[in-house]
Amino acid sequence: MSIDSLRRSAIATVSGLPRGFWWLWLSTLVNRTGAFVLTFLSLYLTIELGHSAWFAGLVVALHGLGGVVGSPLGGLLTDRWGRRPTMVTAHLAGAACAAALAVVTSAWAIAVVVLLMGVAMQAVRPSINATIADMVPAHDVRRAYALNYWALNLGFAIASIGGGAAMFLGYRTLFVVDAVATVVCAVIVFLRLPETRPEVRTDPAGAPVAAAKVSMITVLRDAPFRTLVLLNLLVCLVFTAPWIGLQLTMKDQGFPPSAYGPVIAVNGIVIVGFQLLVNKLTDKRSPVVLLVLSSLLFAVGTGATGLAGSSLAFALTVAVWTVGEMIHVPTNAAATTRLAPEHARGRYQGVMGMSWSVAGFVAPISAGAIVDGPGPGVLWVVTATIGVAAALGYATLLRRALAEDPAESPTEGPVEGPVGSPVDAVEPVAVLDTTGTTGTTGTTGTSGPTSTTGNTSTSGPTSTAKASDTVLSA
């Protein structure tokens, strides 16, 4: 492929999206560029404060546990309160937690603040995902989620490099910078992003039309969506395992700690360098095929880790499952909104985000236990098996539910009537509903992964932060 064709592909990938999306994209980039807390939290706890590695791992895992509560809470507020108020409030709460970490020194106070930070960071994600689904045309939603995910990883890469260079300023200074960046993100959302929660629909006589009431129980009773959530949980378990299992496996084979950094850095390099190309190659493909493919890539990439014996071989395994990550995250996001009623997008996004948080809490602990017990080889056999099982599940259980790809039929879909609000509006759209139960019962958009996977790793900033930030995409 020539440079000119690559340039044209890149332009096609980023063109045609509404102005509001790019303000949201910018807010994601700003937020992730200043994301220093999770990146350096383990080092801060062990080196600066002298806590044990066990305590540092527990604190980081609490961040994921907070997401289990924060994600459904954010989804509920997104539908009832609105997208923009939820985003602004959650961002400001996250900023307050980051600033508090620069002040508190008590072990349990730090644990509580990190737990609350996990709640706040995950509470914002359903509103981000729902906003993208509201404002972006159905056939462009997966592309929009992929671009937002790219912004997250680009910001993460900048934060890792910039934070490392700024270490001489001290950990607390980095936490304050994190708080400031999050406040700037909230300001961008408040000033430039319109409220996109769907308006109340009316009948020909002008009377409001009540939509079906959707509770969290209703969401969990949605069989196709419940299946999607459970299969995503399997994939998340596989994806999260390498962030602690890989470094332990390399250590078991006698590699020095310094060898892990360049290997895991392949993940960020591949995403930043090739996300747009992967997005172009997978555009308008069947979501079921893409979910099956990504699950198999996770299975092959993690499974091959048990066979690797050199830094290059380990790096290649990371590259394989990273491609699976780039395909899975936006596709799963799009599938989520496709199955969600328009007026309940926040709740559906919240439940999906909870699956990422559960995996982020369970997988690191389980991976460590398996490595310390049966050994690293068993861990990678287990992850490969789970990945194949997820692929079979997508192929057999969701083929019908996701059979009609809205990307192939941009003017057709399960929704009757217009979607959302004007995508280029500068002022918020008037919202008549205050109960969170308005809109239609279909959807033409999609949502994003926006989940956090926690990590109990204490070996370095990369393993802790990236796994914790993955669901913060889109």
Side-chain angles (χ1 to χ4, degrees), residues 339-421:
L339 296 178
E342 185 182 67
H343 63 288
R345 282 173 175 161
R347 291 175 175 86
Y348 274 68
Q349 293 291 344
V351 172
M352 179 57 73
M354 188 167 60
S355 70
W356 287 87
S357 297
V358 169
F361 181 73
V362 172
I365 298 174
S366 301
I370 293 175
V371 170
D372 287 341
V378 175
L379 172 64
W380 305 120
V381 170
V382 170
T383 59
T385 303
I386 294 175
V388 172
L392 292 173
Y394 285 123
T396 58
L397 302 178
L398 289 176
R399 183 174 296 276
R400 179 175 298 179
L402 300 178
E404 294 183 5
D405 186 354
E408 296 175 357
S409 304
T411 60
E412 298 178 5
V415 179
E416 296 180 3
V419 177
S421 57

Side-chain angles (χ1 to χ4, degrees), residues 175-200:
F175 296 164
V176 171
V177 173
D178 190 326
V180 172
T182 307
V183 170
V184 172
C185 173
V187 170
I188 292 173
V189 171
F190 180 75
L191 295 179
R192 304 304 305 171
L193 200 65
E195 174 59 60
T196 63
R197 188 174 60 158
E199 295 179 336
V200 174

Side-chain angles (χ1 to χ4, degrees), residues 86-405:
T86 302
M87 268 188 268
V88 171
T89 302
H91 278 314
L92 292 178
C97 291
L101 284 175
V103 179
V104 299
T105 56
S106 163
W108 294 112
I110 291 173
V112 170
V113 171
V114 172
L115 177 67
L116 294 176
M117 192 174 190
V119 174
M121 289 181 68
Q122 284 312 295
V124 76
R125 301 308 154 187
S127 57
I128 293 175
N129 296 339
T131 298
I132 293 176
D134 293 339
M135 66 170 54
V136 175
H139 57 286
D140 282 331
V141 164
R142 198 186 70 83
R143 176 164 66 99
Y145 280 114
L147 287 170
N148 206 59
Y149 188 59
W150 182 56
L152 183 149
N153 282 277
L154 180 60
F156 171 78
I158 296 172
S160 298
I161 297 172
M167 285 288 288
F168 68 92
L169 296 175
Y171 293 102
R172 290 183 173 88
T173 301
L174 295 181
F175 296 164
V176 171
V177 173
D178 190 326
V180 172
T182 307
V183 170
V184 172
C185 173
V187 170
I188 292 173
V189 171
F190 180 75
L191 295 179
R192 304 304 305 171
L193 200 65
E195 174 59 60
T196 63
R197 188 174 60 158
E199 295 179 336
V200 174
R201 299 191 181 277
T202 59
D203 60 22
V209 176
K213 199 166 186 178
V214 177
S215 66
M216 285 298 178
I217 299 300
T218 308
V219 175
L220 294 175
R221 287 177 177 172
D222 184 334
F225 179 68
R226 185 173 64 242
T227 300
L228 183 68
V229 171
L230 292 175
L231 291 174
N232 183 68
L233 176 59
L234 294 180
V235 173
C236 292
L237 290 172
V238 177
F239 167 72
T240 308
W243 295 97
I244 183 171
L246 177 59
Q247 57 189 296
L248 295 178
T249 299
M250 295 180 69
K251 178 183 177 183
D252 186 70
Q253 293 191 17
F255 287 88
S258 59
Y260 173 72
V263 169
I264 200 62
V266 171
N267 174 261
I269 292 171
V270 171
I271 292 177
V272 172
F274 297 101
Q275 179 71 67
L276 296 183
L277 177 60
V278 170
N279 205 36
K280 179 66 175 178
L281 294 175
T282 57
D283 191 29
K284 295 180 173 58
R285 305 294 181 182
S286 164
V288 172
V289 170
L290 293 178
L291 290 170
V292 170
L293 175 60
S294 63
S295 300
L296 292 177
L297 288 170
F298 275 120
V300 172
T302 59
T305 305
L307 304 175
S310 66
S311 294
L312 177 59
F314 282 118
L316 290 175
T317 66
V318 172
V320 171
W321 59 254
T322 296
V323 176
E325 176 189 351
M326 290 190 288
I327 296 173
H328 178 84
V329 171
T331 304
N332 180 73
T336 299
T337 298
R338 178 167 175 74
L339 296 178
E342 185 182 67
H343 63 288
R345 282 173 175 161
R347 291 175 175 86
Y348 274 68
Q349 293 291 344
V351 172
M352 179 57 73
M354 188 167 60
S355 70
W356 287 87
S357 297
V358 169
F361 181 73
V362 172
I365 298 174
S366 301
I370 293 175
V371 170
D372 287 341
V378 175
L379 172 64
W380 305 120
V381 170
V382 170
T383 59
T385 303
I386 294 175
V388 172
L392 292 173
Y394 285 123
T396 58
L397 302 178
L398 289 176
R399 183 174 296 276
R400 179 175 298 179
L402 300 178
E404 294 183 5
D405 186 354

Side-chain angles (χ1 to χ4, degrees), residues 38-80:
L38 290 177
T39 306
F40 296 100
L41 182 60
S42 293
L43 294 178
Y44 172 64
L45 292 173
T46 54
I47 297 176
E48 180 90 356
L49 300 183
H51 292 294
S52 66
W54 175 87
F55 179 76
L58 173 64
V59 170
V60 176
L62 286 175
H63 184 277
L65 185 61
V68 176
V69 177
S71 191
L73 174 63
L76 182 66
L77 294 176
T78 294
D79 289 337
R80 288 192 173 182

